[in-house]
Amino acid sequence: MLKLKRKPKTVEITSASMADIAFLLLIFFLVTTTIDVDKGIGLTLPDPRGEKKEIREKNITNLLVNEAGQVLLDLREIPVLQIKDVIAEKIRENPKLIVSVKTARNTPYNIYIAVLDQLKQANARKISLAEPDK
Amino acid sequence: MNIKKNKRGIPAISTSSMPDIVFLLIIFFMISSVFKEFRGMPIVLPAAKKIEKLRGKRDVGYMWVDRFDRIMIDDRIVNLDEISDIMYVKRADPLSPLRVVSLKIDEEVRMGIVTDVQEELKKADCLNISYATKTKD
């Protein structure tokens, strides 16, 4: 009778598919993650401890937004979408111009954002927020 | 002279380091990603064109105001007079002091409450704010 001698084998786990598994994980996480970037209109509020500055009348322009969403620029009513051009023109004339935005307590927030957006589009850097009258 | 002929075959690219590369990628993405911390409230953000991206998430604080004028910070509805205390603690956090406060305000909210919130933020020395908006096309 033939006697077979068994060689003790070392069992090995193949690592060839490791890359596939890792890639699968990577792709799964890449697909399932949603990257949402926070976007918005940035603004710096005035420091309440800072002293109040006196500003010359000619360097300030008043922008009033009422409850109905109508905009008054220097006592003249203009459509929201025209603010950009008018303010850009004013800033070109006077780079020191400060735009003072004043809203009423009942002004809709989306009108306010639309106005701020127009000012940002006109590259107005000096925006002042006037407190609404109580 | 015995010159061995060079065997010209296509040299195989070793794939043995592939898992290492992929794992490195996975670990990079795991470390660099930040999870959304708060659920927030169902709100409709206003849209704007000229918007800035908020860089980083770790030092941004979030506040929600929904159309019923409810204010929410960290998934908890708060009163107006609580805001300054809460935000001041966050602002003075030694590990990750707040840099920007992102205001997620519903477009149907009236300006009165927005101004009140801003006044409270001023008290808490949170002066950098950002009105969260959608992108308008």
Side-chain angles (χ1 to χ4, degrees):
Chain A
M1 225 169 111
L2 212 133
K3 247 192 182 175
L4 279 172
K5 217 181 186 180
R6 259 196 196 164
K7 262 188 189 170
K9 267 185 197 167
T10 49
V11 184
E12 236 179 66
I13 300 168
T14 52
S15 58
S17 57
M18 186 79 106
D20 302 334
I21 296 165
F23 259 123
L24 202 81
L25 273 172
L26 182 67
I27 288 162
F28 170 74
F29 281 113
L30 278 179
V31 170
T32 51
T33 37
T34 49
I35 302 168
D36 70 323
V37 186
D38 285 302
K39 294 164 290 185
I41 295 177
L43 208 65
T44 307
L45 297 172
D47 194 334
R49 289 158 302 180
E51 72 269 32
K52 284 189 177 159
K53 273 188 200 162
E54 292 286 328
I55 297 152
R56 281 205 206 156
E57 195 83 356
K58 62 165 185 173
N59 284 342
I60 200 158
T61 185
N62 287 301
L63 205 65
L64 303 161
V65 190
N66 77 355
E67 291 158 25
Q70 294 162 310
V71 182
L72 209 63
L73 179 70
D74 285 340
L75 305 175
R76 202 162 49 84
E77 195 196 332
I78 63 163
V80 174
L81 292 175
Q82 279 178 22
I83 298 174
K84 179 177 71 177
D85 298 329
V86 177
I87 293 289
E89 182 61 34
K90 277 176 178 279
I91 286 175
R92 211 173 298 127
E93 284 166 16
N94 179 7
K96 280 191 198 164
L97 192 79
I98 294 171
V99 183
S100 167
V101 181
K102 188 169 184 175
T103 52
R105 283 192 75 83
N106 264 330
T107 302
Y109 176 68
N110 57 348
I111 303 285
Y112 170 68
I113 287 295
V115 169
L116 274 189
D117 188 27
Q118 289 284 315
L119 292 179
K120 289 269 173 186
Q121 284 183 48
N123 280 323
R125 299 195 178 275
K126 296 172 180 171
I127 300 170
S128 147
L129 298 180
E131 272 179 56
D133 305 317
K134 299 236 171 178
Chain B
M1 238 165 101
N2 198 1
I3 298 171
K4 255 191 183 172
K5 228 186 180 180
N6 245 1
K7 258 190 194 168
R8 280 191 189 270
I10 306 160
I13 299 168
S14 155
T15 51
S16 59
S17 56
M18 188 81 103
D20 303 335
I21 296 165
V22 176
F23 268 118
L24 201 82
L25 274 172
I26 289 189
I27 289 164
F28 168 74
F29 281 112
M30 276 169 65
I31 302 234
S32 62
S33 58
V34 181
F35 279 97
K36 214 186 235 181
E37 254 180 284
F38 305 111
R39 200 177 289 265
M41 286 196 279
I43 51 166
V44 182
L45 290 174
K49 253 183 203 159
K50 184 108 178 187
I51 51 180
E52 299 141 20
K53 279 180 188 165
L54 266 180
R55 298 228 160 265
K57 272 194 179 170
R58 291 171 215 266
D59 47 3
V60 179
Y62 296 95
M63 272 180 73
W64 284 263
V65 182
D66 75 353
R67 64 182 61 191
F68 308 111
D69 287 357
R70 291 180 301 193
I71 302 160
M72 187 180 254
I73 303 174
D74 300 356
D75 279 353
R76 198 166 70 83
I77 290 182
V78 296
N79 286 325
L80 195 62
D81 49 0
E82 288 176 88
I83 296 175
S84 61
D85 291 335
I86 296 171
M87 293 318 270
Y88 190 79
V89 171
K90 283 172 162 277
R91 177 95 176 104
D93 189 344
L95 285 177
S96 59
L98 220 57
R99 187 174 48 90
V100 194
V101 178
S102 177
L103 297 172
K104 295 176 183 283
I105 303 174
D106 194 282
E107 60 177 3
E108 284 182 29
V109 168
R110 302 273 155 175
M111 277 310 286
I113 184 99
V114 179
T115 318
D116 294 341
V117 167
Q118 280 174 190
E119 285 303 313
E120 292 299 313
L121 287 176
K122 273 190 210 170
K123 281 186 205 161
D125 198 33
C126 296
L127 300 179
N128 274 321
I129 58 166
S130 166
Y131 301 110
T133 55
K134 287 186 296 199
T135 320
K136 193 194 257 178
D137 8 75

